[in-house]
Amino acid sequence: MGGKKAAFTRTGDHELEITPTAALDSGRSFTVVVRYSGTPSKAEVGGITGWQRTPDGGIAANEPESAWWWFPSNDHPLDKATYDVSVAVPDGTQAISNGVLTSSTSQLGWTRYNWRSSKPQATYLATLAVGKFDITTDTTANGLPVVNAYSKDLGDTAGAARASVERTAEVVDWESTVFGPYPFEALGGYVPNVSAGFAIETQTRPFYSPKKFANGSNVSVVVHELAHQWFGDSVSLKDWRDIWINEGFARYAQWLWSEKEGEGTAQELADYMYASYPADDPFWKVEPGDPGAANQFHEAVYDRGALTLQALRDRVGDKAFFAILKGWPTEHRYGNASVKDFVAYAEKVSGKPLAAFFDTWLFTPSKPAARAKGAQLSAAKAPVRPKSWQKIQAARSEK
């Protein structure tokens, strides 16, 4: 404080504790400058690192922990902040991060990129990619800037990756009609040359593994990660046990996209999904509303999570259901919320008691009984596989 050096110590695997030279007054703002150095990809905790190497650089993108591998932070979704990321890289190399590129300047063989993310952002949603990229730009219908980037050496997946990610503006324009106004100042995505197989909703600029496009273009995975900009990024979870309000909604967005594209309705996908798992399948043992650390990204969180939303749609009707989908991101914009908060909100909007319903679908380790109404999650014979099923399955394992 006051430009004076503070005492510090390191505890545990990655905790930094700082003691100012004088006591801090409650409610008073202060600034801490932390200087450190190292080779990020060589820093491991428990045999893992939050960094991924590429042939010409590296990236930081992971979940549930990522931030503390590259900047001092309280790496928990409750601690949201705005971000300025300033990175100097050798000329000919680019640095990609969240938000808007405010400037780039070159001097003495180095180029500095300055990125700004001006809306509250959870730490794990911060990203950095350094390497040689082909960069494209676009705008949404509302004029928001779109920046997409692709490693120059993607090889056979390059075309499919572009065919998918270049539809980012189109997807966000559509999702805005379902979920309400896009909550951030920019959007885009990037596909670096990495071996990892997942995608993640890093705020405003999702990371996509090239493996997501190994079998051709797949807009469904783009729909999923962009839906997270509302469900997970703008409205972040209060605790990691609340992961359903991230992943169940992003998976359901894929079902709605399928419905829009005429490749299978959300109801048909729900029927097929429900029929795909017999009652004794371990799939039904995972409780999406509180899956536990070992099952945080289990298929049930995604798929049973989406089934829950289709069952809710049937229970409350389309008018109330889509009012819930659009109102929820507005009610908690730039904040944090829990599964309990969503249950209360759904009850308020629909005017129906839903606690027992959500307990059955989210917190009971068994297959919920099929509802009798029409073909809701049941059929006299095996449901026909919707056309979009393969693309949705190919997008699985994403975060």
Side-chain angles (χ1 to χ4, degrees):
M1 188 173 70
K4 297 180 180 179
K5 287 187 177 181
F8 70 91
T9 185
R10 295 177 61 181
T11 60
D13 288 333
H14 56 81
E15 293 292 332
L16 175 65
E17 297 181 10
I18 299 172
T19 304
T21 55
L24 300 174
D25 295 331
S26 178
R28 181 180 176 183
S29 298
F30 63 96
T31 300
V32 176
V33 177
V34 180
R35 288 189 173 92
Y36 59 101
S37 62
T39 304
S41 60
K42 292 183 178 180
E44 295 186 351
V45 176
I48 61 174
T49 175
W51 285 86
Q52 299 179 61
R53 294 293 298 267
T54 65
D56 54 19
I59 71 162
N62 218 320
E63 185 183 7
E65 295 180 321
S66 171
W68 58 265
W69 261 282
W70 64 291
F71 64 93
S73 58
N74 179 25
D75 201 6
H76 191 280
L78 280 173
D79 198 358
K80 302 176 80 167
T82 58
Y83 283 77
D84 285 282
V85 176
S86 181
V87 183
V89 296
D91 286 348
T93 303
Q94 295 114 330
I96 307 294
S97 191
N98 311 83
V100 174
L101 180 65
T102 59
S103 66
S104 61
T105 57
S106 296
Q107 186 176 14
L108 300 177
W110 291 79
T111 302
R112 178 169 292 279
Y113 293 86
N114 296 300
W115 292 88
R116 173 166 294 172
S117 191
S118 62
K119 305 298 183 184
Q121 176 178 294
T123 46
Y124 82 95
L125 297 172
T127 192
L128 175 64
V130 174
K132 296 180 179 180
F133 296 96
D134 288 325
I135 296 176
T136 66
T137 59
D138 194 3
T139 57
T140 65
N142 291 330
L144 294 179
V146 184
V147 177
N148 298 321
Y150 311 87
S151 283
K152 291 179 178 291
D153 55 357
L154 286 180
D156 293 341
T157 61
R162 286 175 179 266
S164 307
V165 179
E166 287 302 301
R167 295 182 70 180
T168 289
E170 173 195 350
V171 170
V172 164
D173 286 339
W174 168 75
E175 288 183 333
S176 297
T177 68
V178 182
F179 307 137
Y182 180 72
F184 302 120
E185 72 276 37
L187 56 151
Y190 71 99
V191 188
N193 186 3
V194 295
S195 59
F198 63 87
I200 183 173
E201 63 272 16
T202 40
Q203 191 159 307
T204 70
R205 194 143 293 111
F207 154 80
Y208 301 98
S209 163
K211 290 184 178 180
K212 291 298 179 186
F213 313 108
N215 295 316
S217 64
N218 191 348
V219 181
S220 188
V221 69
V222 176
V223 170
H224 183 107
E225 300 308 333
L226 292 175
H228 275 308
Q229 305 306 304
W230 286 265
F231 302 97
D233 292 11
S234 178
V235 183
S236 301
L237 40 73
K238 283 185 176 177
D239 190 274
W240 284 107
R241 67 170 57 91
D242 298 313
I243 190 66
W244 172 71
I245 64 174
N246 289 19
E247 302 301 349
F249 290 77
R251 172 68 82 238
Y252 193 73
Q254 294 174 266
W255 292 11
L256 292 177
W257 177 263
S258 170
E259 193 168 287
K260 167 190 171 293
E261 294 290 283
E263 296 183 343
T265 67
Q267 183 64 69
E268 290 167 342
L269 285 159
D271 288 341
Y272 191 80
M273 175 68 71
Y274 183 85
S276 296
Y277 294 99
D280 60 353
D281 194 288
F283 173 88
W284 300 108
K285 297 298 183 183
V286 177
E287 302 171 24
D290 187 2
N295 292 315
Q296 189 170 355
F297 299 109
H298 192 278
E299 292 171 359
V301 176
Y302 295 73
D303 295 336
R304 184 173 172 178
L307 282 171
T308 300
L309 290 171
Q310 182 59 30
L312 176 65
R313 183 177 176 179
D314 175 58
R315 174 64 66 91
V316 304
D318 274 12
K319 182 177 180 180
F321 178 74
F322 285 102
I324 291 168
L325 282 192
K326 186 172 287 188
W328 169 258
T330 300
E331 182 88 355
H332 296 279
R333 179 172 290 193
Y334 308 135
N336 298 76
S338 66
V339 174
K340 182 179 179 180
D341 293 328
F342 182 81
V343 173
Y345 184 78
E347 288 184 325
K348 181 179 74 171
V349 173
S350 69
K352 295 179 180 290
L354 296 170
F357 165 84
F358 280 110
D359 184 64
T360 296
W361 280 95
L362 295 180
F363 298 100
T364 302
S366 60
K367 187 173 184 176
R371 292 179 56 76
K373 179 181 178 181
Q376 173 65 26
L377 303 181
S378 64
K381 58 183 180 180
V384 175
R385 190 177 81 171
K387 182 179 179 181
S388 61
W389 182 259
Q390 186 174 353
K391 292 293 187 182
I392 292 173
Q393 292 298 95
R396 293 173 80 167
S397 84
E398 75 275 34
K399 294 180 179 177

